[in-house]
Amino acid sequence: MTEPSRTPVRERLLDAAQAVIESSGWAAVTMSGVAGAAGVSRQTVYNEFGTKHGLAEHLALRELQRFLTVVSTRMRAEADILDGIRAACEGTLQLGEESLLVRTIVGTAPASRDNDFLTILTTESGEIVDAAVMVVQQTIDELYPPTGLDADELRTVVEAMVRLVLSSLTRPSRPPVAAAADIAWIVGMVLDGAAVRRPATG
């Protein structure tokens, strides 16, 4: 699942699909319906996305960019790494509550015919996680003093943080402020113990 360069046609198609999702749910989205709303042929939709699942992937990746912008902005506003992580997690979870697309995905996921997005955000979430990890790790390296972790260890910590945020987005159980504070506390525990090196694995 890679994000290709966007074209005006692709953006219109994604906008059309998102409008249907927000009004009627993912199950109501059809390739022909998206084509009609965007004023193009159905074949154009297939050429752009391949399948309906491919369309869902592109929608998820487009939404991801909004979240990563919030992450970067929130972290750059904080001088302390844990404050930055807490603020980034809180902003991401708040955006998840405000995003009609995310809330619709979460609300319709249990229906078997709406599993495209659930799969993308869970079992096929690797590319989303990788993109988020890259942004967060680069931002940490740029803004904050050395953590005491090497690059691989830091990536492991950041990936765990990203997956916790993703889990909180798809299965929210606590308010964003509380969930973000919990995640930052977990990361802080790891950073506090960074001097205790993990034994080498053979």
Side-chain angles (χ1 to χ4, degrees):
M1 182 174 61
T2 57
E3 185 180 23
S5 60
R6 293 176 185 160
T7 66
V9 170
R10 176 169 289 148
E11 284 297 298
R12 293 210 315 273
L13 293 171
L14 292 173
D15 288 344
Q18 183 162 334
V20 175
I21 292 169
E22 292 174 355
S23 64
S24 305
W26 176 242
V29 175
T30 64
M31 302 298 255
S32 59
V34 170
V40 300
S41 69
R42 186 174 64 171
Q43 187 58 47
T44 298
V45 185
Y46 283 103
N47 290 344
E48 291 287 343
F49 306 114
T51 63
K52 186 178 176 182
H53 188 76
L55 172 60
E57 291 177 341
H58 282 78
L59 282 164
L61 285 171
R62 186 172 73 161
E63 192 73 354
L64 174 64
Q65 298 310 308
R66 294 181 61 215
F67 281 84
L68 293 182
T69 297
V70 169
V71 167
S72 180
T73 300
R74 288 294 191 103
M75 292 187 76
R76 291 179 187 282
E78 302 292 343
D80 178 78
I81 183 172
L82 291 183
D83 288 340
I85 287 171
R86 176 197 50 75
C89 292
E90 182 179 326
T92 300
L93 295 174
Q94 288 174 339
L95 181 58
E97 285 190 341
E98 297 164 4
S99 167
L100 286 175
L101 179 61
V102 171
R103 297 274 55 84
T104 302
I105 291 168
V106 172
T108 61
S112 60
R113 61 181 177 178
D114 290 341
N115 274 343
D116 283 300
F117 277 112
L118 180 61
T119 300
I120 290 166
L121 295 177
T122 54
T123 58
E124 292 182 7
S125 65
E127 189 165 342
I128 288 175
V129 170
D130 287 345
V133 167
M134 182 178 69
V135 169
V136 174
Q137 187 165 357
Q138 287 178 345
T139 306
I140 287 174
D141 288 339
E142 177 186 346
L143 297 179
Y144 304 117
T147 62
L149 303 172
D150 64 31
D152 288 340
E153 291 168 340
L154 180 58
R155 190 191 191 287
T156 298
V157 173
V158 172
E159 180 174 341
M161 179 183 76
V162 168
R163 291 189 181 279
L164 285 171
V165 171
L166 189 59
S167 177
S168 295
L169 281 173
T170 55
R171 293 182 178 274
S173 60
R174 304 195 68 193
V177 172
D182 287 346
I183 294 169
W185 176 78
I186 292 170
V187 175
M189 293 290 287
V190 175
L191 296 181
D192 286 343
V196 180
R197 311 311 296 170
R198 294 180 302 180
T201 56

